């Protein structure tokens, strides 16, 4: 088989080696890796289309008669929006053809990031009542078995509850098109609507299982703590409507979740506990009770003929 033909067949299989640590992502590949043919060589290029830095690793899996511009494995840091040539390969003996195959892997987040241990997080919802923690690190674990989710919390709440930012940062990823038919089955792992917010210290927070078409922020937006992100739902891997919240960092090429503390005016600063109740800040209770005395409107009343939840629907649900 000619070397050029073998190379094409190998290239077609590169995508099989892509791996993503964590939850779902929206849109096309965030980090794109492609091989470009030159006159007598091939170059491997990488482009980071995401709004977070990324670590890209290439590992040779097979090769013959190969000369390389740099030693393998290859690992580079790409800033948001950055593109670069990772390596150029050619024939070690120019009288013969060459082949190579590699695995590619990327991890988002700055591996130098240090989470601020003094920071605390606002209760991430707006309601006139407390909601209970269904799953946390100190209790029985149903789905948080990986290092990426070990310290995550699941907060029980009805669909249509207003979800707010727990900490200031920049919106870097959003997925909003999945239906609210969540089930605890493997095929639903990557079907959760979510918002990802990058904090100033390089850590980020994820808000998962949001309602379809109910997210009110877009990538690139700067939000402060308390900013409305959308409405809670039941999308993705879920047994009941709830909000999944966690804080993560890239630690030496592995996405890990971190222990964190909430704060409110009632309890001060505290670590989330299994089966405990989260009381939202007083100002969110006041916002929810702006017209206290009248029955609160339901999603059906606020969304009678709309196909998507917009600002008017969120205002309707947050008032009476």
């Amino acid at each position: 088989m000619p070397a050029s033909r073998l190379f094409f067949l190998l290239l077609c299989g590169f995508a099989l080696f892509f791996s993503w640590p964590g939850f779902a992502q929206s849109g096309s590949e965030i980090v794109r890796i492609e091989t470009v043919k030159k006159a007598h060589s091939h170059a491997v290029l990488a482009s980071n289309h995401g709004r977070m830095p990324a670590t890209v690793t290439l590992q040779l899996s097979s090769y013959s008669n190969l000369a390389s511009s740099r030693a393998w494995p290859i690992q580079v840091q790409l800033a948001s929006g950055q593109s670069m040539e990772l390596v150029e390969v050619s024939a070690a003996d120019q009288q013969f053809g060459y082949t190579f195959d590699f695995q590619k892997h990327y991890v988002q987040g700055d591996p130098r990031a240090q989470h601020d241990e003094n920071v605390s997080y606002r209760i991430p919802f707006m309601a006139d009542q407390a909601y209970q923690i269904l799953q946390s690190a100190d209790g029985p674990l149903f789905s948080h078995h990986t290092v990426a989710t070990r310290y995550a919390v699941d907060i029980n709440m009805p669909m249509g509850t207003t979800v707010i930012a727990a900490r200031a940062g920049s919106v870097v990823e959003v997925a909003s098109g999945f239906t609210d038919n969540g089930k605890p089955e493997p095929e639903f792992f990557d079907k959760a609507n979510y918002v990802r917010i990058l904090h100033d210290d390089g850590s980020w927070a994820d808000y998962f299982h949001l309602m379809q078409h109910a997210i009110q922020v877009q990538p690139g937006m700067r939000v402060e703590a308390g900013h409305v992100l959308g409405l809670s739902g039941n999308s993705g891997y879920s047994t009941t409507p709830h909000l999944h919240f966690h804080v993560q960092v890239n630690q030496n090429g592995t996405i890990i979740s971190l222990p964190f503390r909430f704060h409110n005016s009632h309890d001060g600063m505290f670590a989330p506990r299994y089966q405990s109740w989260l009381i939202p800040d007083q100002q969110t209770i006041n916002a929810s009770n702006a017209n206290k005395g009248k029955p609160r409107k339901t999603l059906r009343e606020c969304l009678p003929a709309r196909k998507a939840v917009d600002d008017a629907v969120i205002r309707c649900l947050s008032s009476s």
Side-chain angles (χ1 to χ4, degrees):
M1 179 181 293
S4 59
R5 174 62 175 166
L6 178 57
F7 178 82
F8 174 77
L9 292 177
L10 293 174
L11 181 60
C12 290
F14 285 167
L16 297 177
F17 298 107
F18 169 78
S19 61
W20 169 253
F23 288 90
Q25 61 176 329
S26 59
S28 59
E29 283 189 5
I30 293 174
V31 175
R32 185 173 304 157
I33 299 173
E34 57 183 334
T35 303
V36 178
K37 188 180 186 310
K38 297 186 177 182
H40 303 290
S41 64
H42 286 85
V44 181
L45 313 178
S47 302
N48 182 4
H49 298 276
R51 296 180 180 272
M52 297 172 64
T55 302
V56 179
T57 302
L58 303 183
Q59 178 77 53
L60 268 179
S61 54
S62 66
Y63 65 93
S64 64
N65 191 32
L66 192 70
S68 179
S69 63
R70 61 190 303 179
W72 294 68
I74 296 167
Q75 187 171 86
V76 297
Q77 307 291 328
L78 290 179
S80 172
Q82 183 180 9
S83 299
M84 71 165 62
E85 180 178 293
L86 304 185
V87 65
E88 183 176 1
V89 297
S90 60
D93 185 340
Q94 295 295 325
Q95 298 182 62
F96 301 97
Y98 65 95
T99 64
F100 74 112
D101 190 9
F102 62 86
Q103 297 177 356
K104 60 181 181 177
H105 175 74
Y106 76 81
V107 180
Q108 285 189 285
D110 188 341
R112 302 165 298 178
Q114 295 291 326
H115 181 246
D116 185 353
E117 296 182 352
N118 296 316
V119 75
S120 58
Y121 292 78
R122 189 167 172 175
I123 306 299
F125 60 86
M126 182 183 294
D128 56 4
Q129 65 184 87
Y131 291 132
Q132 191 175 32
I133 294 178
L134 299 176
Q135 189 175 191
S136 63
D138 65 320
L141 298 180
F142 168 69
S143 58
H144 301 168
H145 298 293
T146 69
V147 293
T149 58
R150 179 68 179 84
Y151 293 99
V153 295
D154 286 342
I155 307 168
N156 185 40
M157 63 180 63
M159 290 180 60
T161 301
T162 302
V163 175
I164 62 175
R167 182 182 174 187
S170 299
V171 179
V172 291
E173 289 182 35
V174 167
S176 62
F178 297 110
T179 57
D180 292 282
N181 62 343
K183 296 179 182 179
E185 299 175 2
E187 59 265 33
F188 286 84
F189 275 137
D190 60 351
K191 294 178 173 59
N193 301 315
Y194 71 97
V195 171
R196 176 166 292 159
I197 296 178
L198 180 65
H199 308 135
D200 293 339
D201 60 12
S203 66
W204 62 89
D206 288 335
Y207 305 73
F208 273 87
H209 308 296
L210 302 181
M211 183 181 290
Q212 185 181 33
H213 303 316
I215 293 175
Q216 294 298 295
V217 294
Q218 297 178 347
M221 289 180 58
R222 175 77 185 182
V223 297
E224 300 301 321
H227 189 111
V228 173
L229 303 181
L231 301 179
S232 66
N234 192 36
S235 57
Y237 191 85
S238 174
T239 59
T240 188
H242 71 284
L243 174 68
H244 173 109
F245 175 84
H246 61 219
V247 179
Q248 295 179 321
V249 293
N250 173 355
Q251 185 178 84
N252 300 318
T254 300
I255 302 300
I256 67 167
S257 64
L258 297 173
F260 62 90
R261 293 174 294 179
F262 283 128
H263 72 263
N264 61 14
S265 55
H266 182 271
D267 301 298
M269 196 159 50
F270 61 95
R273 300 296 181 192
Y274 174 58
Q275 292 188 330
S276 64
W277 293 80
L278 295 179
I279 303 173
D281 284 332
Q282 187 61 45
Q283 56 264 43
T284 70
I285 295 176
N286 291 341
S288 296
N289 288 330
N291 296 308
K292 191 173 182 179
K294 298 179 181 179
R296 183 167 174 157
K297 291 184 179 179
T298 65
L299 183 62
R300 184 181 298 275
E301 293 173 307
C302 293
L303 191 65
R306 302 172 192 264
K307 294 184 178 180
V309 176
D310 55 19
D311 289 333
V313 174
I314 289 182
R315 288 195 298 270
C316 176
L317 289 167
S318 300
S319 63
S320 60

